[in-house]
Amino acid sequence: MQQRFLKVPRNALGRDFAVGDVHGCFTRLQQGLDQLGFDPTRDRLFSVGDLVDRGPECETVLAWLEQPWFYAVQGNHEDYAVRHIRTKQVDVDNWRSYGGGWFLDLPPERQQVFADAFDQLPIAIEVETSSGPVGLLHADCPVLFWPRLESALQDRYKRTSAACQWSRDRLRQMDRTGIRGVRAVVAGHTPVVEPLALGNVYHIDTEGWRGGYFTFLDLETLTAWPRAVVTELAETED
């Protein structure tokens, strides 16, 4: 059964990084990790979802999900696959236009394997750091007090998970309202030219799957690699 809100203890051995949308570009992701000096015996990598669609290596996702150092939330592209298997109520033409053809062209039994794997991914992850917890989800946080998200994912699951996976409101509105009860929240989903912090919400999909680069955000220091500067638009009083 899916654990919708996953709490992960602090990494006492090495470093923790978050990475933006992968979209089937795992070779490029691995190259970035190699340049980062990522050590899988000590370090951990947290994905903000959208592991598949668009890129050429989508089927490689299963091998990554088996790694003990790799964690991921369920993005809207994983949600496509899960809903397609569960309900068949997915606009397949729309999904195909956004890169879902690799999945739709698989035999049904193979589709089931991927959908089952994606269905196990949490909607949100909370990672403990020395300075307090850092939250991760795919798109946006639908609550202003982070500890409420866990219960919201149980009581109002469909509405809450849809906001976590699909909402672009914060970036569209350049909403700088911070999320209380958490040190930072990390999201992807909406591409940005460089990593951007609105309040304490960090947007890190810098399109490593297309013409950009993968941003790796150190969860302990909240600094980004390869660019050390995160553009910060903090909340201000009018």
Side-chain angles (χ1 to χ4, degrees):
M1 182 177 179
Q2 180 195 39
Q3 187 174 353
R4 294 168 181 168
F5 190 99
L6 175 65
K7 293 184 178 181
V8 179
R10 183 183 174 193
N11 187 351
L13 297 176
R15 303 170 296 172
D16 284 343
F17 294 96
V19 67
D21 301 19
V22 178
H23 282 305
C25 293
F26 290 99
T27 296
R28 290 191 68 184
L29 176 60
Q30 184 61 61
Q31 290 170 347
L33 290 174
D34 292 344
Q35 294 175 22
L36 188 63
F38 185 87
D39 182 351
T41 67
R42 301 169 59 89
D43 301 331
R44 300 184 300 196
L45 183 65
F46 293 84
S47 161
V48 294
D50 277 9
L51 297 168
V52 295
D53 296 353
R54 295 195 171 109
E57 301 165 327
C58 293
E59 294 191 52
T60 305
V61 66
L62 295 181
W64 281 72
L65 290 175
E66 291 175 353
Q67 302 306 314
W69 46 264
F70 185 69
Y71 298 77
V73 299
Q74 187 187 106
N76 64 298
H77 282 261
E78 286 78 47
D79 178 54
Y80 269 133
V82 173
R83 286 190 295 113
H84 179 70
I85 292 298
R86 278 184 175 178
T87 69
K88 300 297 183 183
Q89 295 179 353
V90 172
D91 184 337
V92 294
D93 291 333
N94 175 269
W95 183 17
R96 188 179 290 276
S97 73
Y98 285 103
W102 75 275
F103 183 94
L104 293 167
D105 294 337
L106 291 173
E109 62 274 13
R110 191 63 174 159
Q111 289 182 353
Q112 187 72 55
V113 170
F114 285 96
D116 287 347
F118 299 157
D119 196 28
Q120 296 303 307
L121 299 177
I123 303 300
I125 296 176
E126 179 180 297
V127 184
E128 192 59 49
T129 75
S130 63
S131 300
V134 173
L136 300 103
L137 38 68
H138 180 58
D140 197 4
C141 185
V143 298
L144 293 178
F145 184 54
W146 175 261
R148 290 178 181 160
L149 182 59
E150 183 173 9
S151 60
L153 284 170
Q154 299 299 326
D155 301 335
R156 301 182 299 278
Y157 172 63
K158 288 186 178 180
R159 184 174 67 182
T160 303
S161 63
C164 288
Q165 294 176 314
W166 291 87
S167 174
R168 301 187 192 273
D169 289 348
R170 176 175 291 268
L171 269 174
R172 283 173 176 163
Q173 301 167 9
M174 296 302 285
D175 183 356
R176 298 167 294 178
T177 306
I179 307 299
R180 295 179 291 112
V182 68
R183 181 181 172 210
V185 176
V186 187
H189 187 50
T190 303
V192 289
V193 175
E194 58 188 13
L196 172 67
L198 293 172
N200 64 341
V201 181
Y202 288 71
H203 299 269
I204 62 169
D205 178 16
T206 45
E207 295 189 297
W209 50 274
R210 192 155 62 180
Y213 59 95
F214 283 117
T215 288
F216 298 95
L217 187 71
D218 187 321
L219 299 188
E220 186 66 35
T221 64
L222 296 179
T223 56
W225 185 92
R227 301 185 182 184
V229 177
V230 178
T231 300
E232 295 190 19
L233 297 180
E235 181 179 10
T236 58
E237 295 183 2
D238 295 329

